[in-house]
Coordinates of all heavy atoms in Angstrom, one line a residue:
K73 N -2.3 29.3 -8.1 CA -1.8 30.7 -8.0 C -0.6 30.9 -8.9 O -0.3 32.0 -9.3 CB -1.4 31.0 -6.6 CG -2.6 31.0 -5.6 CD -2.2 31.3 -4.2 CE -3.4 31.4 -3.4 NZ -3.1 31.8 -2.0
E74 N 0.1 29.9 -9.3 CA 1.2 30.0 -10.2 C 0.8 30.3 -11.7 O 1.5 30.9 -12.4 CB 2.0 28.7 -10.3 CG 2.9 28.5 -9.1 CD 4.0 29.6 -9.1 OE1 4.6 29.9 -10.1 OE2 4.2 30.1 -8.0
H75 N -0.5 30.0 -12.0 CA -0.9 30.2 -13.4 C -0.9 31.6 -13.9 O -1.0 31.9 -15.1 CB -2.2 29.5 -13.6 CG -3.3 30.1 -12.9 ND1 -3.5 29.8 -11.5 CD2 -4.3 30.9 -13.2 CE1 -4.6 30.5 -11.1 NE2 -5.1 31.2 -12.1
V76 N -0.9 32.6 -13.0 CA -0.9 34.0 -13.4 C 0.5 34.6 -13.1 O 0.6 35.8 -13.0 CB -2.0 34.8 -12.7 CG1 -3.3 34.4 -13.2 CG2 -1.9 34.7 -11.2
G77 N 1.5 33.8 -13.0 CA 2.9 34.3 -12.8 C 3.2 34.7 -11.4 O 4.1 35.5 -11.2
G78 N 2.4 34.2 -10.5 CA 2.6 34.6 -9.1 C 3.9 34.1 -8.5 O 4.6 33.2 -9.1
S79 N 4.3 34.6 -7.4 CA 5.6 34.2 -6.8 C 5.5 33.1 -5.8 O 6.5 32.7 -5.2 CB 6.2 35.4 -6.2 OG 5.4 35.8 -5.1
K80 N 4.3 32.5 -5.6 CA 4.1 31.5 -4.6 C 5.0 30.3 -5.0 O 5.2 29.9 -6.1 CB 2.7 31.1 -4.6 CG 2.2 30.5 -3.3 CD 0.8 30.9 -3.1 CE 0.2 30.4 -1.8 NZ 0.7 30.8 -0.6
Q81 N 5.6 29.7 -3.9 CA 6.5 28.6 -4.1 C 5.7 27.4 -4.8 O 4.6 27.1 -4.4 CB 7.0 28.2 -2.8 CG 8.0 27.0 -2.9 CD 8.6 26.6 -1.5 OE1 8.4 27.3 -0.5 NE2 9.2 25.5 -1.5
I82 N 6.4 26.8 -5.8 CA 5.7 25.7 -6.5 C 5.9 24.5 -5.6 O 6.9 24.2 -5.0 CB 6.4 25.5 -7.8 CG1 6.3 26.7 -8.7 CG2 5.9 24.2 -8.5 CD1 7.0 26.6 -10.0
I83 N 4.7 23.8 -5.4 CA 4.7 22.6 -4.6 C 4.7 21.4 -5.6 O 4.0 21.3 -6.6 CB 3.4 22.5 -3.8 CG1 3.4 23.7 -2.8 CG2 3.2 21.2 -3.1 CD1 2.1 23.8 -2.0
A84 N 5.5 20.4 -5.2 CA 5.6 19.2 -6.0 C 4.3 18.5 -6.0 O 3.6 18.5 -5.0 CB 6.7 18.3 -5.4
L85 N 4.0 17.9 -7.2 CA 2.7 17.1 -7.3 C 2.6 16.1 -6.2 O 1.5 15.9 -5.7 CB 2.6 16.5 -8.7 CG 1.4 15.8 -9.0 CD1 0.1 16.7 -8.9 CD2 1.4 15.2 -10.4
S86 N 3.7 15.4 -5.9 CA 3.6 14.3 -4.9 C 3.1 14.9 -3.5 O 2.4 14.2 -2.8 CB 4.9 13.6 -4.8 OG 5.9 14.5 -4.4
K87 N 3.6 16.1 -3.2 CA 3.2 16.7 -2.0 C 1.7 17.1 -2.0 O 1.0 17.0 -1.0 CB 4.0 17.9 -1.6 CG 3.8 18.5 -0.3 CD 4.7 19.6 0.1 CE 4.4 20.1 1.5 NZ 5.3 21.1 2.0
I88 N 1.3 17.7 -3.1 CA -0.1 18.1 -3.3 C -1.0 16.9 -3.1 O -2.1 16.9 -2.4 CB -0.4 18.7 -4.7 CG1 0.3 20.1 -4.7 CG2 -1.9 18.9 -4.9 CD1 0.3 20.8 -6.0
L89 N -0.7 15.7 -3.7 CA -1.5 14.5 -3.6 C -1.6 14.0 -2.2 O -2.5 13.3 -1.8 CB -1.0 13.5 -4.6 CG -1.1 13.8 -6.0 CD1 -0.4 12.7 -6.9 CD2 -2.5 14.0 -6.5
Q90 N -0.6 14.3 -1.4 CA -0.6 13.9 0.0 C -1.3 14.9 1.0 O -1.6 14.5 2.1 CB 0.8 13.7 0.5 CG 1.5 12.6 -0.2 CD 3.0 12.5 0.2 OE1 3.5 13.3 0.9 NE2 3.7 11.5 -0.4
M91 N -1.7 16.1 0.5 CA -2.3 17.1 1.3 C -3.7 16.6 1.7 O -4.4 16.1 0.8 CB -2.4 18.4 0.6 CG -1.1 19.2 0.6 SD -1.4 20.7 -0.3 CE -0.1 21.7 0.3
T92 N -4.1 17.0 2.9 CA -5.5 16.7 3.2 C -6.4 17.9 2.7 O -5.8 18.9 2.2 CB -5.7 16.7 4.8 OG1 -5.4 18.0 5.3 CG2 -4.9 15.7 5.4
E93 N -7.6 17.7 2.7 CA -8.5 18.8 2.2 C -8.3 20.1 2.9 O -8.2 21.2 2.3 CB -10.0 18.4 2.3 CG -10.9 19.4 1.7 CD -12.4 19.0 1.8 OE1 -12.6 17.8 2.1 OE2 -13.2 19.9 1.6
S94 N -8.1 20.0 4.2 CA -7.9 21.2 5.0 C -6.6 21.9 4.7 O -6.5 23.1 4.7 CB -8.1 21.0 6.5 OG -7.1 20.0 7.0
E95 N -5.5 21.1 4.5 CA -4.2 21.6 4.2 C -4.3 22.3 2.8 O -3.7 23.4 2.6 CB -3.2 20.5 4.1 CG -2.8 20.0 5.5 CD -1.9 18.7 5.4 OE1 -2.0 18.0 4.4 OE2 -1.1 18.5 6.4
W96 N -5.0 21.8 1.9 CA -5.1 22.3 0.5 C -5.9 23.7 0.6 O -5.5 24.7 0.0 CB -5.8 21.4 -0.4 CG -6.0 21.8 -1.8 CD1 -7.2 22.1 -2.4 CD2 -5.0 22.2 -2.7 NE1 -6.9 22.6 -3.7 CE2 -5.6 22.6 -3.9 CE3 -3.6 22.1 -2.7 CZ2 -4.9 23.0 -5.0 CZ3 -2.9 22.5 -3.8 CH2 -3.5 22.9 -5.0
K97 N -7.0 23.7 1.4 CA -7.7 24.9 1.6 C -6.9 26.0 2.2 O -6.9 27.2 1.8 CB -9.0 24.7 2.4 CG -10.1 24.0 1.6 CD -11.3 23.7 2.5 CE -12.4 23.0 1.8 NZ -13.6 22.8 2.6
E98 N -6.1 25.6 3.2 CA -5.2 26.6 3.9 C -4.2 27.1 2.9 O -3.9 28.3 2.9 CB -4.5 25.9 5.1 CG -3.6 26.9 5.8 CD -2.9 26.2 7.0 OE1 -3.3 25.1 7.4 OE2 -1.8 26.7 7.4
Y99 N -3.6 26.3 2.1 CA -2.6 26.7 1.1 C -3.2 27.7 0.1 O -2.7 28.8 -0.2 CB -2.1 25.5 0.3 CG -1.2 25.9 -0.9 CD1 0.1 26.4 -0.7 CD2 -1.7 25.9 -2.2 CE1 0.9 26.8 -1.8 CE2 -0.9 26.2 -3.3 CZ 0.4 26.7 -3.0 OH 1.1 27.1 -4.1
L100 N -4.4 27.4 -0.4 CA -5.1 28.3 -1.3 C -5.6 29.6 -0.7 O -5.7 30.6 -1.4 CB -6.3 27.6 -2.0 CG -5.9 26.4 -2.9 CD1 -7.2 25.8 -3.4 CD2 -5.0 26.9 -4.1
S101 N -5.8 29.6 0.6 CA -6.4 30.8 1.3 C -5.3 31.8 1.7 O -5.5 32.9 2.0 CB -7.2 30.4 2.5 OG -6.4 29.9 3.5
E102 N -4.0 31.3 1.6 CA -2.9 32.2 2.0 C -2.8 33.4 1.0 O -2.8 33.2 -0.2 CB -1.5 31.5 2.0 CG -1.4 30.4 3.0 CD -0.1 29.6 2.9 OE1 0.7 29.9 2.0 OE2 0.0 28.6 3.7
P103 N -2.8 34.6 1.5 CA -2.7 35.8 0.6 C -1.4 35.8 -0.1 O -0.3 35.5 0.4 CB -2.9 37.0 1.6 CG -2.4 36.5 2.9 CD -2.7 35.0 2.9
D104 N -1.5 36.2 -1.4 CA -0.3 36.4 -2.2 C -0.3 37.8 -2.6 O -0.9 38.2 -3.6 CB -0.3 35.4 -3.4 CG 1.0 35.3 -4.2 OD1 1.8 36.3 -4.1 OD2 1.2 34.4 -4.8
H105 N 0.4 38.7 -1.9 CA 0.4 40.1 -2.1 C 1.0 40.5 -3.4 O 0.6 41.4 -4.1 CB 1.0 40.8 -0.9 CG 0.4 40.5 0.4 ND1 -0.9 41.0 0.7 CD2 0.7 39.8 1.5 CE1 -1.3 40.6 1.9 NE2 -0.3 39.9 2.4
E106 N 2.1 39.8 -3.8 CA 2.7 40.1 -5.1 C 1.8 39.9 -6.2 O 1.7 40.7 -7.2 CB 4.0 39.3 -5.2 CG 5.1 39.8 -4.3 CD 6.4 39.0 -4.5 OE1 6.7 38.6 -5.7 OE2 7.1 38.8 -3.5
M107 N 1.1 38.8 -6.2 CA 0.2 38.5 -7.3 C -1.0 39.5 -7.3 O -1.4 39.9 -8.4 CB -0.4 37.1 -7.1 CG -1.4 36.7 -8.2 SD -2.0 35.0 -8.2 CE -2.9 35.0 -6.7
A108 N -1.5 39.8 -6.2 CA -2.6 40.8 -6.1 C -2.1 42.2 -6.7 O -2.9 42.8 -7.4 CB -3.1 41.0 -4.6
L109 N -0.9 42.6 -6.3 CA -0.3 43.8 -6.9 C -0.2 43.8 -8.4 O -0.6 44.7 -9.1 CB 1.0 44.1 -6.2 CG 1.7 45.4 -6.7 CD1 0.9 46.6 -6.4 CD2 3.1 45.5 -6.0
E110 N 0.3 42.6 -8.9 CA 0.5 42.5 -10.3 C -0.9 42.6 -11.1 O -1.0 43.3 -12.1 CB 1.1 41.2 -10.7 CG 1.3 41.0 -12.2 CD 1.8 39.6 -12.6 OE1 2.0 38.7 -11.7 OE2 2.0 39.4 -13.8
I111 N -1.9 41.9 -10.5 CA -3.2 41.9 -11.1 C -3.8 43.3 -11.1 O -4.3 43.8 -12.1 CB -4.2 40.9 -10.4 CG1 -3.7 39.5 -10.7 CG2 -5.6 41.2 -10.8 CD1 -4.4 38.5 -9.8
R112 N -3.6 44.0 -10.0 CA -4.2 45.4 -9.8 C -3.5 46.3 -10.8 O -4.2 47.1 -11.6 CB -3.9 45.9 -8.4 CG -4.6 47.2 -8.1 CD -4.4 47.7 -6.7 NE -5.0 46.7 -5.8 CZ -4.3 46.0 -4.9 NH1 -3.0 46.1 -4.7 NH2 -4.9 45.1 -4.1
L113 N -2.2 46.3 -10.9 CA -1.4 47.2 -11.9 C -1.8 46.9 -13.3 O -2.0 47.8 -14.1 CB 0.1 47.1 -11.6 CG 0.6 47.7 -10.4 CD1 2.1 47.4 -10.2 CD2 0.4 49.2 -10.3
K114 N -1.8 45.6 -13.7 CA -2.0 45.3 -15.1 C -3.5 45.6 -15.4 O -3.8 45.9 -16.6 CB -1.6 43.8 -15.3 CG -0.1 43.7 -15.3 CD 0.3 42.4 -15.8 CE 1.9 42.4 -15.9 NZ 2.4 41.2 -16.5
T115 N -4.4 45.4 -14.5 CA -5.8 45.7 -14.8 C -6.0 47.2 -15.0 O -6.7 47.7 -15.9 CB -6.7 45.2 -13.6 OG1 -6.5 43.8 -13.5 CG2 -8.2 45.5 -13.9
Q116 N -5.4 48.0 -14.1 CA -5.4 49.5 -14.3 C -4.9 50.0 -15.6 O -5.3 50.9 -16.2 CB -4.7 50.2 -13.1 CG -5.4 50.0 -11.8 CD -4.6 50.5 -10.6 OE1 -3.4 50.7 -10.7 NE2 -5.2 50.6 -9.5
R117 N -3.8 49.3 -16.1 CA -3.1 49.7 -17.3 C -3.7 49.0 -18.5 O -3.2 49.3 -19.7 CB -1.6 49.4 -17.2 CG -1.0 50.2 -16.1 CD 0.4 49.9 -15.9 NE 1.1 50.7 -14.9 CZ 2.2 50.4 -14.3 NH1 2.9 49.4 -14.7 NH2 2.7 51.2 -13.4
G118 N -4.6 48.1 -18.4 CA -5.2 47.4 -19.5 C -4.3 46.4 -20.2 O -4.3 46.2 -21.4
L119 N -3.4 45.8 -19.4 CA -2.4 44.9 -19.9 C -2.9 43.4 -19.6 O -3.7 43.2 -18.7 CB -1.1 45.1 -19.2 CG -0.4 46.5 -19.4 CD1 0.8 46.6 -18.6 CD2 -0.1 46.7 -20.9
A120 N -2.3 42.5 -20.4 CA -2.6 41.1 -20.2 C -2.0 40.6 -18.9 O -0.9 41.0 -18.6 CB -2.2 40.3 -21.4
I121 N -2.6 39.6 -18.3 CA -2.1 39.0 -17.0 C -1.7 37.6 -17.3 O -2.6 36.8 -17.9 CB -3.1 39.1 -15.9 CG1 -3.5 40.6 -15.6 CG2 -2.6 38.4 -14.7 CD1 -4.6 40.7 -14.7
G122 N -0.5 37.2 -17.0 CA -0.1 35.8 -17.2 C 1.4 35.8 -17.4 O 2.1 36.8 -17.3
T123 N 1.9 34.6 -17.7 CA 3.3 34.4 -17.9 C 3.7 35.1 -19.3 O 2.9 35.3 -20.1 CB 3.7 32.9 -17.9 OG1 3.0 32.3 -19.1 CG2 3.3 32.2 -16.7
E124 N 5.0 35.3 -19.4 CA 5.5 35.9 -20.7 C 5.1 35.0 -21.9 O 4.7 35.5 -22.9 CB 7.0 36.1 -20.7 CG 7.4 37.2 -19.7 CD 9.0 37.4 -19.7 OE1 9.6 37.1 -20.8 OE2 9.5 37.8 -18.7
E125 N 5.2 33.7 -21.7 CA 4.9 32.7 -22.8 C 3.4 32.9 -23.1 O 3.0 32.9 -24.3 CB 5.2 31.3 -22.3 CG 4.9 30.3 -23.4 CD 5.3 28.9 -22.9 OE1 6.0 28.7 -21.9 OE2 4.7 27.9 -23.5
F126 N 2.5 33.0 -22.1 CA 1.1 33.1 -22.4 C 0.8 34.4 -23.1 O 0.0 34.4 -24.1 CB 0.3 33.1 -21.0 CG -1.1 33.5 -21.2 CD1 -2.0 32.5 -21.6 CD2 -1.6 34.8 -20.8 CE1 -3.4 32.9 -21.7 CE2 -2.9 35.1 -21.0 CZ -3.8 34.1 -21.4
V127 N 1.4 35.5 -22.7 CA 1.2 36.8 -23.3 C 1.7 36.8 -24.8 O 1.0 37.3 -25.7 CB 1.8 38.0 -22.5 CG1 1.7 39.3 -23.3 CG2 1.2 38.1 -21.1
R128 N 2.8 36.2 -25.0 CA 3.4 36.1 -26.4 C 2.4 35.3 -27.2 O 2.2 35.6 -28.4 CB 4.7 35.4 -26.4 CG 5.9 36.4 -26.2 CD 7.2 35.8 -26.6 NE 7.5 34.5 -26.0 CZ 8.0 34.3 -24.8 NH1 8.5 35.3 -24.1 NH2 8.2 33.1 -24.3
G129 N 1.8 34.2 -26.7 CA 0.9 33.4 -27.5 C -0.4 34.2 -27.9 O -0.8 34.1 -29.0
I130 N -0.9 35.0 -26.9 CA -2.0 35.9 -27.2 C -1.7 36.9 -28.2 O -2.4 37.2 -29.2 CB -2.5 36.5 -25.9 CG1 -3.0 35.5 -24.9 CG2 -3.6 37.6 -26.2 CD1 -4.2 34.7 -25.4
E131 N -0.5 37.5 -28.1 CA 0.0 38.5 -29.1 C 0.1 37.9 -30.5 O -0.4 38.5 -31.4 CB 1.4 39.1 -28.7 CG 1.4 40.0 -27.5 CD 2.7 40.4 -27.1 OE1 3.7 39.7 -27.3 OE2 2.8 41.5 -26.5
N132 N 0.6 36.7 -30.6 CA 0.7 36.0 -31.9 C -0.7 35.8 -32.5 O -0.9 36.0 -33.7 CB 1.4 34.7 -31.8 CG 2.9 34.9 -31.5 OD1 3.5 36.0 -31.8 ND2 3.6 33.9 -30.9
K133 N -1.6 35.4 -31.7 CA -3.0 35.1 -32.1 C -3.7 36.4 -32.6 O -4.5 36.4 -33.6 CB -3.8 34.4 -31.1 CG -3.4 32.9 -30.9 CD -4.3 32.2 -29.9 CE -3.8 30.8 -29.8 NZ -4.6 30.0 -28.9
L134 N -3.5 37.5 -31.8 CA -4.1 38.7 -32.2 C -3.4 39.5 -33.3 O -3.9 40.4 -33.9 CB -4.2 39.6 -30.9 CG -5.1 39.1 -29.8 CD1 -5.0 40.0 -28.6 CD2 -6.6 39.0 -30.3
G135 N -2.1 39.1 -33.4 CA -1.3 39.9 -34.4 C -1.0 41.3 -34.0 O -0.8 42.2 -34.9
R136 N -0.9 41.5 -32.7 CA -0.5 42.9 -32.2 C 0.1 42.7 -30.9 O 0.0 41.7 -30.2 CB -1.7 43.8 -32.1 CG -2.7 43.4 -31.0 CD -4.0 44.2 -31.1 NE -4.5 45.2 -30.2 CZ -4.0 45.7 -29.1 NH1 -3.0 45.4 -28.6 NH2 -4.7 46.5 -28.4
S137 N 0.9 43.8 -30.5 CA 1.6 43.8 -29.2 C 0.7 44.1 -28.1 O -0.2 45.0 -28.2 CB 2.7 44.8 -29.3 OG 3.3 44.9 -28.0
L138 N 0.9 43.5 -26.9 CA 0.1 43.8 -25.7 C 1.0 44.4 -24.7 O 0.6 44.6 -23.6 CB -0.5 42.5 -25.2 CG -1.5 41.8 -26.1 CD1 -2.0 40.5 -25.4 CD2 -2.7 42.7 -26.4
A139 N 2.2 44.8 -25.1 CA 3.1 45.5 -24.2 C 2.6 46.9 -23.9 O 1.9 47.5 -24.7 CB 4.5 45.5 -24.8
R140 N 3.1 47.4 -22.8 CA 2.7 48.8 -22.4 C 3.4 49.8 -23.3 O 4.6 49.7 -23.5 CB 3.2 49.1 -21.0 CG 2.8 50.4 -20.5 CD 3.1 50.6 -19.0 NE 2.6 51.9 -18.6 CZ 3.2 52.6 -17.6 NH1 4.2 52.0 -17.0 NH2 2.7 53.7 -17.3
A141 N 2.7 50.7 -23.9 CA 3.2 51.7 -24.8 C 3.6 53.0 -24.1 O 3.1 53.2 -23.0 CB 2.2 52.0 -26.0
S142 N 4.4 53.8 -24.7 CA 4.8 55.0 -24.1 C 3.5 55.9 -24.0 O 2.7 55.9 -25.0 CB 5.9 55.7 -24.8 OG 7.0 55.0 -24.9
L143 N 3.4 56.7 -23.0 CA 2.3 57.6 -22.9 C 2.5 58.9 -23.6 O 3.6 59.4 -23.8 CB 2.0 57.9 -21.4 CG 1.7 56.7 -20.5 CD1 1.5 57.2 -19.1 CD2 0.4 56.1 -21.0
G144 N 1.4 59.5 -24.1 CA 1.5 60.8 -24.7 C 1.8 60.8 -26.2 O 1.9 59.7 -26.8
R145 N 1.9 62.0 -26.7 CA 2.2 62.2 -28.1 C 3.6 61.9 -28.4 O 4.5 62.3 -27.7 CB 1.8 63.6 -28.5 CG 2.0 64.0 -29.9 CD 1.6 65.4 -30.1 NE 1.8 65.8 -31.4 CZ 1.4 67.0 -31.9 NH1 0.7 67.8 -31.2 NH2 1.6 67.3 -33.2
P146 N 3.9 61.3 -29.6 CA 5.3 61.1 -29.9 C 6.1 62.4 -30.1 O 5.5 63.4 -30.6 CB 5.2 60.4 -31.3 CG 3.9 59.9 -31.4 CD 3.0 60.8 -30.6
K147 N 7.3 62.4 -29.7 CA 8.1 63.6 -29.8 C 8.5 63.9 -31.2 O 8.7 63.0 -32.0 CB 9.4 63.5 -29.0 CG 9.1 63.3 -27.5 CD 10.4 63.3 -26.7 CE 10.1 63.0 -25.3 NZ 10.3 63.8 -24.3
K148 N 8.5 65.2 -31.5 CA 8.9 65.6 -32.9 C 10.3 65.4 -33.1 O 11.2 65.5 -32.2 CB 8.6 67.1 -33.1 CG 7.1 67.5 -33.1 CD 6.9 68.9 -33.4 CE 5.4 69.2 -33.3 NZ 5.2 70.7 -33.6
Q149 N 10.7 65.0 -34.3 CA 12.1 64.7 -34.6 C 12.8 66.0 -35.1 O 12.2 66.8 -35.8 CB 12.2 63.7 -35.7 CG 11.6 62.4 -35.2 CD 12.3 61.2 -35.9 OE1 13.1 61.4 -36.8 NE2 11.9 60.0 -35.5
M150 N 14.0 66.2 -34.7 CA 14.8 67.4 -35.0 C 15.4 67.2 -36.4 O 15.8 66.1 -36.8 CB 15.8 67.7 -34.0 CG 15.3 67.8 -32.6 SD 14.3 69.2 -32.4 CE 15.4 70.4 -31.8
T151 N 15.6 68.3 -37.1 CA 16.3 68.2 -38.4 C 17.8 68.3 -38.2 O 18.2 68.4 -37.0 CB 15.9 69.4 -39.3 OG1 16.3 70.6 -38.7 CG2 14.4 69.4 -39.6
E152 N 18.5 68.2 -39.2 CA 20.0 68.2 -39.0 C 20.5 69.5 -38.3 O 21.4 69.4 -37.6 CB 20.7 68.1 -40.4 CG 20.5 66.7 -41.0 CD 21.2 66.6 -42.4 OE1 22.1 67.4 -42.6 OE2 20.7 65.8 -43.2
K153 N 19.9 70.6 -38.6 CA 20.3 71.9 -38.0 C 19.7 72.1 -36.6 O 20.0 73.2 -36.0 CB 20.0 73.1 -39.0 CG 20.7 73.0 -40.3 CD 20.4 74.1 -41.1 CE 21.2 74.0 -42.5 NZ 20.9 75.2 -43.4
G154 N 18.9 71.2 -36.2 CA 18.4 71.3 -34.8 C 17.0 72.1 -34.8 O 16.5 72.3 -33.8
A155 N 16.5 72.4 -36.0 CA 15.2 73.1 -36.1 C 14.1 72.1 -36.2 O 14.2 71.0 -36.7 CB 15.2 74.0 -37.3
V156 N 13.0 72.4 -35.6 CA 11.8 71.5 -35.6 C 11.0 71.8 -36.9 O 10.7 73.0 -37.2 CB 10.9 71.8 -34.4 CG1 9.6 70.9 -34.5 CG2 11.6 71.6 -33.1
P157 N 10.8 70.8 -37.8 CA 10.1 71.0 -39.0 C 8.6 71.4 -38.8 O 8.0 71.0 -37.8 CB 10.2 69.7 -39.7 CG 10.4 68.7 -38.7 CD 11.1 69.4 -37.6
F158 N 8.0 72.2 -39.7 CA 6.6 72.5 -39.6 C 5.7 71.5 -40.1 O 5.9 70.8 -41.0 CB 6.3 73.9 -40.3 CG 7.0 75.0 -39.6 CD1 8.2 75.5 -40.0 CD2 6.4 75.5 -38.4 CE1 8.7 76.6 -39.3 CE2 6.9 76.6 -37.8 CZ 8.1 77.1 -38.2

């Protein structure tokens, strides 16, 4: 659950190795509402899901930003006198 940037507490490897199969299944079956919300929001917005490092790596490979852009048309820039150019 940590691999998508979830907030679930990280368990030490030594503790994981000592878990029984039923304890491991119980851990994995616990709902992680924050992770579900993040997945839902990013899916709706068409954004990458993962840690910042993962997203930066994908951006570097694609050569483009995967960050959320401002919505709508860019605002027109005002001239020095405050008039909008045609």
Side-chain angles (χ1 to χ4, degrees):
K73 292 183 179 186
E74 281 297 315
H75 64 283
V76 292
S79 63
K80 207 148 177 65
Q81 182 179 349
I82 298 174
I83 296 178
L85 181 59
S86 60
K87 185 172 180 180
I88 290 174
L89 295 174
Q90 294 173 0
M91 286 181 159
T92 64
E93 181 180 350
S94 61
E95 289 172 331
W96 181 244
K97 285 181 181 180
E98 181 181 338
Y99 172 76
L100 292 177
S101 68
E102 292 173 2
D104 191 337
H105 300 291
E106 288 182 34
M107 181 176 66
L109 178 61
E110 179 185 6
I111 291 171
R112 187 176 301 116
L113 288 174
K114 289 191 175 186
T115 300
Q116 290 171 347
R117 295 175 180 169
L119 300 172
I121 300 171
T123 63
E124 288 182 28
E125 183 179 340
F126 172 78
V127 174
R128 272 196 310 270
I130 298 296
E131 288 175 332
N132 289 338
K133 287 183 181 185
L134 294 176
R136 69 188 248 2
S137 173
L138 297 177
R140 183 175 182 209
S142 299
L143 297 176
R145 181 179 177 172
K147 296 186 188 242
K148 293 182 180 180
Q149 297 208 354
M150 303 296 266
T151 63
E152 290 180 25
K153 296 181 181 180
V156 178
F158 289 100

